[in-house]
């Protein structure tokens, strides 16, 4: 009970700090949404009237407190461009959630398979290739990976579309086709980190006595799979923590592939100086990061119950 209360307070403080920082930077940046909406040829009086209609002429702290009240009571306002923020988040969030799910379905099994092949024969071809793969993918920006996959699968092989999105309810196959390349891009990016963490943990576990005994008996595969479960503890924690980063980090990928998700919405809202929409999206992403961090702890404890015992001893 005490731990849950502590985590809730930390989440609340994190949201307040993030919201105040983003709200301050957005409010005091040069120009605001009124200049963007009014157009280049708008006069001073027209801009002043628009600022008054949008509430931008009110004091900063008043607007910030009003936003916090609306956010925590789920009374989200209309964006400065006239769109209902709640409807936008629900529509765009469904696309990004589907993209994140497909990415994990590709990244997690691929990472586990690569690490098992690497651990089966250390310093072998699979081990060396996995290290080279991680290094190369780590050094490439997401837009470079996106464009490379687009060139290969869309331009050369003509298997998948260049961009756009088809909803699952409209056509299942077109939906999967429109999400495959962006999902593969995110899967490759996260697999590079997954492979590093899981392989390091697996190699450390393979040096434990119970695994060495199994290997000495000629039961290499038995020892490998026995080492896999405890080695997956940091891996599972990383996967759950990366769910929110999949959403936050999908902005570039969604923009390249023209997907109507949360990431591309955040980019367009930032360019148009839509403060209410930007801060709402940032707070939602921060909330997801905090929640999935807590879920990762419970998931790791399910795999290895000794974690709960260890944390209980530390708290005492």
């Amino acid at each position: 009970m005490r731990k849950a209360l502590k985590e809730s307070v930390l989440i609340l403080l994190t949201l307040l700090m993030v919201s105040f920082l983003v709200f301050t930077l957005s409010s005091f940046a040069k120009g605001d949404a009124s200049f963007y909406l009014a157009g280049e040829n708008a006069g001073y009086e027209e801009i002043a009237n628009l600022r008054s209609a949008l509430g931008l002429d009110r004091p900063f702290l008043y607007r910030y407190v009003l936003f916090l009240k609306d956010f925590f009571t789920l009374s989200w306002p209309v964006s400065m461009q006239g769109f209902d923020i709640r409807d936008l988040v629900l529509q765009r969030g469904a696309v990004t959630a589907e993209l994140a799910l497909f990415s994990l379905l590709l990244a997690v099994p691929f990472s586990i398979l690569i690490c098992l092949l690497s651990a089966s024969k250390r310093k072998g071809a699979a081990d060396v290739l996995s290290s080279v793969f991680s290094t190369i993918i780590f050094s490439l920006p997401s837009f470079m990976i996106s464009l490379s996959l687009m060139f290969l699968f869309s331009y050369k092989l003509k298997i998948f579309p260049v961009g756009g999105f088809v909803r699952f309810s409209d056509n299942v196959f077109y939906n999967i086709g429109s999400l495959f390349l962006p999902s593969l891009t995110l899967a490759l990016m996260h697999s590079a980190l997954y492979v590093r963490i899981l392989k390091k943990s697996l190699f450390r576990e393979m040096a434990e006595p119970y695994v060495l005994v199994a290997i000495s008996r000629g039961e290499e595969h038995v020892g490998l799979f026995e080492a896999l479960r405890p080695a997956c503890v940091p891996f599972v924690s990383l996967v759950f923590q990366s769910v929110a980063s999949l959403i936050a980090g999908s902005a570039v990928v969604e923009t390249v592939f023209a997907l109507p998700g949360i990431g591309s919405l955040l980019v367009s809202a930032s360019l148009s100086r839509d403060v209410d929409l930007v801060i709402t999206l940032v707070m939602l992403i921060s909330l997801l990061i905090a929640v999935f961090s807590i879920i990762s702890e419970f998931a790791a404890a399910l795999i290895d119950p000794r974690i709960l015992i260890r944390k209980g001893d530390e708290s005492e």
Side-chain angles (χ1 to χ4, degrees):
M1 182 65 182
R2 182 181 300 177
K3 180 176 176 57
L5 181 61
K6 180 181 178 181
E7 295 289 350
S8 301
V9 172
L10 287 176
I11 291 176
L12 181 61
L13 290 176
T14 301
L15 288 177
L16 290 175
M17 291 175 61
V18 170
S19 64
F20 184 79
L21 179 62
V22 177
F23 200 91
T24 302
L25 293 176
S26 302
S27 298
F28 291 100
K30 185 178 180 180
D32 53 37
S34 60
F35 292 93
Y36 176 84
L37 296 174
E40 297 180 356
N41 300 322
Y44 176 80
E45 184 177 354
E46 184 179 353
I47 294 176
N49 292 334
L50 185 57
R51 283 179 56 83
S52 177
L54 295 174
L56 297 175
D57 56 342
R58 297 175 179 176
F60 165 76
L61 288 178
Y62 176 83
R63 289 190 289 116
Y64 175 67
V65 173
L66 184 63
F67 168 79
L68 288 180
K69 181 185 75 67
D70 290 340
F71 181 84
F72 287 111
T73 58
L74 298 180
S75 302
W76 296 351
V78 176
S79 70
M80 294 181 180
Q81 301 180 65
F83 300 105
D84 188 276
I85 294 180
R86 184 182 299 177
D87 292 340
L88 275 178
V89 170
L90 291 176
Q91 294 171 5
R92 299 292 193 100
V95 178
T96 302
E98 192 176 358
L99 175 62
L101 178 61
F102 281 6
S103 302
L104 289 176
L105 291 177
L106 292 174
V108 172
F110 174 76
S111 302
I112 294 176
L113 177 62
I114 291 296
C115 289
L116 287 176
L117 292 175
S118 301
S120 62
K121 191 173 183 180
R122 194 166 184 178
K123 302 299 182 182
D127 186 18
V128 175
L129 289 176
S130 64
S131 299
V132 173
F133 163 78
S134 299
T135 303
I136 293 176
I137 297 299
F138 250 80
S139 62
L140 292 176
S142 57
F143 74 89
M144 182 64 70
I145 301 176
S146 302
L147 294 177
S148 300
L149 293 177
M150 188 185 297
F151 177 78
L152 176 61
F153 289 101
S154 299
Y155 180 72
K156 286 294 185 180
L157 300 179
K158 301 185 186 303
I159 300 176
F160 298 103
V162 176
F165 177 73
V166 178
R167 296 194 176 276
F168 187 86
S169 56
D170 295 336
N171 192 301
V172 177
F173 296 103
Y174 285 170
N175 172 261
I176 296 175
S178 63
L179 286 175
F180 181 78
L181 289 184
S183 299
L184 182 59
T185 302
L186 293 175
L188 289 174
M189 293 171 56
H190 284 75
S191 294
L193 180 59
Y194 293 167
V195 168
R196 283 192 175 187
I197 298 299
L198 181 57
K199 190 167 71 170
K200 182 178 179 181
S201 179
L202 189 57
F203 284 168
R204 183 174 60 247
E205 204 66 31
M206 291 284 288
E208 293 294 325
Y210 72 95
V211 179
L212 295 176
V213 170
I215 294 176
S216 65
R217 293 175 179 174
E219 302 172 347
E220 291 86 356
H221 295 292
V222 175
L224 180 60
F225 283 101
E226 284 183 354
L228 181 61
R229 180 177 177 180
C232 277
V233 172
F235 173 69
V236 170
S237 298
L238 178 62
V239 169
F240 275 99
Q241 291 176 9
S242 65
V243 172
S245 67
L246 277 169
I247 298 175
S250 64
V252 175
V253 175
E254 288 181 358
T255 303
V256 171
F257 289 99
L259 293 178
I262 290 292
S264 57
L265 177 62
L266 182 59
V267 172
S268 61
S270 301
L271 293 175
S272 61
R273 303 292 177 87
D274 197 332
V275 178
D276 289 340
L277 182 55
V278 169
I279 190 65
T280 301
L281 295 176
V282 171
M283 287 190 68
L284 284 176
I285 293 172
S286 302
L287 180 61
L288 284 175
I289 292 174
V291 169
F292 276 104
S293 296
I294 297 174
I295 294 176
S296 68
E297 294 183 9
F298 288 102
L302 288 176
I303 298 175
D304 190 355
R306 293 175 299 177
I307 295 177
L308 287 180
I309 299 175
R310 194 180 305 122
K311 288 189 175 182
D313 294 339
E314 291 177 357
S315 62
E316 293 177 358

